[in-house]
Amino acid sequence: MPFRTICIYGAGALGGAMAVKLAAGLGTGATISVVARGAHLDAMRKNGLDLFEAGSETPINARITATDDPSALPPQDLIVTGLKGHQLGPAAKGIANLLKDGTRVVMILNGIPWWYFHRDRQSPHAELQLEELDPGGRLWRLIGPQRVIGCVAYQGAEVINPGQVKLSNDGRFILGEPSGEPSADLEAIGALFSRAGLSITVTQRIRDEIWNKLTGNAAFNPISALTRALMTDIMTNPALAETVGKVMTEVRTVGRALGARFDSTIEERLEQSRHVGAVRTSMLQDLLAGKPLEIVPLTGMIVTLGRLVSVPTPISETVFALVSQLDRENQR
């Protein structure tokens, strides 16, 4: 196995779940470590990390090397980031300390990622850097987009207590090289994750998958934060459901202008959303926990990229302004 040392950098809900799955599924075939912080880290050090899979009341426990100081770990073969977009910049130096020749970095991100235009063949904007996502080009310079494996995750996860993560569904993960080309690293990482029990799909069009997920996230996340509403509440409120549809339409218009293809209609996405259940979005979870909100990759980028391709996004602009003000008030 070419990736024997694996660090989950940001082992919160989703990162923590992946750490347990990799540790339990790969056994002695790989050394798993995590970078975390706070009470969650303290609990991991004391009792290990518990993962409750969907529908299970009995956790999988994994004893994993856990630290808040990445310099305490050796360079890694593979890094998996469980951080949100606004958390990556401050973590860039710590991640860079774990790199060596050949290290790949699987970036699990919602929304538009900082590396989006690296080797982009779907639009005429290859290598464009997005200042809002990567101030001063810090990530581009310290980590490098050439190391990235893109990842889109459909996995509901929540930290229910320090050291305990609960999954709300079975989950699936889509991996792809930014170039769209097949690679030995991509194949090996997909096989490794599959061996650990993760449902993995490899794609040559990772940007399509980014936009497909963003269709929902750009609408539901900010609207749920603004209203404190669960998914069921949003979809049973005609005015909110109509607003969701309008945001989705703007997202797709911008995405198509950048070469993205979509695998369903807006009506089909709305119908799927009616069956999700009483789920709190990740942005609503962060709001209620008093944490900074992941706004720019999910909502701000629709506005920024809309301007890049001359697509008006008036509803997204309003939602972006409102949720940005909410975030400022929530952080006071």
Side-chain angles (χ1 to χ4, degrees):
M1 182 169 58
F3 298 103
R4 295 188 180 279
T5 54
I6 304 170
C7 177
I8 311 298
Y9 202 110
L14 184 53
M18 289 200 72
V20 173
K21 296 281 277 188
L22 289 170
L26 301 179
T28 58
T31 300
I32 312 298
S33 59
V34 302
V35 175
R37 62 184 182 181
H40 193 50
L41 170 62
D42 293 339
M44 278 189 257
R45 284 171 164 167
K46 184 177 181 180
N47 300 312
L49 184 55
D50 284 338
L51 175 65
F52 293 85
E53 297 196 275
S56 175
E57 296 182 1
T58 303
I60 302 169
N61 179 267
R63 296 277 180 168
I64 303 169
T65 299
T67 182
D68 57 1
D69 179 10
S71 66
L73 300 173
Q76 301 288 302
D77 297 326
L78 178 65
I79 299 169
V80 181
T81 64
L83 300 172
K84 294 181 178 177
H86 58 279
Q87 298 170 324
L88 278 173
K93 186 175 180 180
I95 296 171
N97 286 338
L98 296 175
L99 300 176
K100 61 182 179 179
D101 289 345
T103 300
R104 298 305 302 264
V105 184
V106 175
M107 290 269 172
I108 306 175
L109 290 169
N110 281 329
I112 301 298
W114 62 274
W115 55 263
Y116 182 87
F117 289 109
H118 175 58
R119 302 194 69 185
D120 176 23
R121 298 178 178 180
Q122 296 176 207
S123 82
H125 302 289
E127 307 313 319
L128 176 67
Q129 296 183 43
L130 298 163
E131 177 68 18
E132 297 99 321
L133 297 176
D134 184 16
R138 186 174 174 82
L139 295 164
W140 200 281
R141 185 176 66 256
L142 293 179
I143 297 173
Q146 73 279 359
R147 293 185 182 271
V148 169
I149 297 286
C151 180
V152 175
Y154 289 91
Q155 177 66 81
E158 187 170 357
V159 176
I160 54 174
N161 291 299
Q164 294 187 323
V165 174
K166 184 175 178 59
L167 304 181
S168 60
N169 64 334
D170 290 336
R172 60 190 179 93
F173 299 81
I174 305 169
L175 303 173
E177 291 274 9
S179 67
E181 297 171 343
S183 72
D185 283 349
L186 178 61
E187 182 179 342
I189 292 167
L192 181 144
F193 285 0
S194 295
R195 199 176 308 129
L198 300 173
S199 176
I200 298 297
T201 301
V202 172
T203 180
Q204 294 183 9
R205 293 183 62 89
I206 190 65
R207 290 173 185 81
D208 290 358
E209 303 300 337
I210 288 169
W211 284 101
N212 273 307
K213 188 174 185 189
L214 185 55
T215 299
N217 280 348
F220 286 110
N221 274 271
I223 289 172
S224 71
L226 290 166
T227 61
R228 280 29 173 216
L230 304 177
M231 289 283 288
T232 46
D233 302 326
I234 292 172
M235 292 311 299
T236 55
N237 183 309
L240 293 180
E242 182 181 359
T243 303
V244 165
K246 289 178 178 178
V247 173
M248 287 182 171
T249 299
E250 290 184 356
V251 171
R252 293 201 164 189
T253 305
V254 174
R256 287 192 181 99
L258 288 167
R261 302 171 186 168
F262 294 91
D263 59 6
S264 62
T265 66
I266 296 293
E267 292 72 23
E268 288 169 340
R269 285 300 300 270
L270 290 170
E271 182 59 29
Q272 291 169 9
S273 301
R274 292 187 178 94
H275 302 287
V276 171
V279 171
R280 290 192 299 181
T281 68
S282 59
M283 191 176 288
L284 179 55
Q285 291 177 37
D286 285 345
L287 178 75
L288 297 176
K291 298 178 180 178
L293 305 183
E294 190 177 23
I295 300 170
V296 173
L298 300 186
T299 304
M301 278 296 105
I302 305 307
V303 178
T304 295
L305 296 180
R307 291 170 182 161
L308 177 68
V309 295
S310 301
V311 171
T313 57
I315 307 300
S316 297
E317 287 186 29
T318 300
V319 170
F320 180 47
L322 290 172
V323 79
S324 296
Q325 180 62 32
L326 173 66
D327 187 42
R328 286 191 290 269
E329 294 295 329
N330 198 47
Q331 294 306 305
R332 288 183 178 176

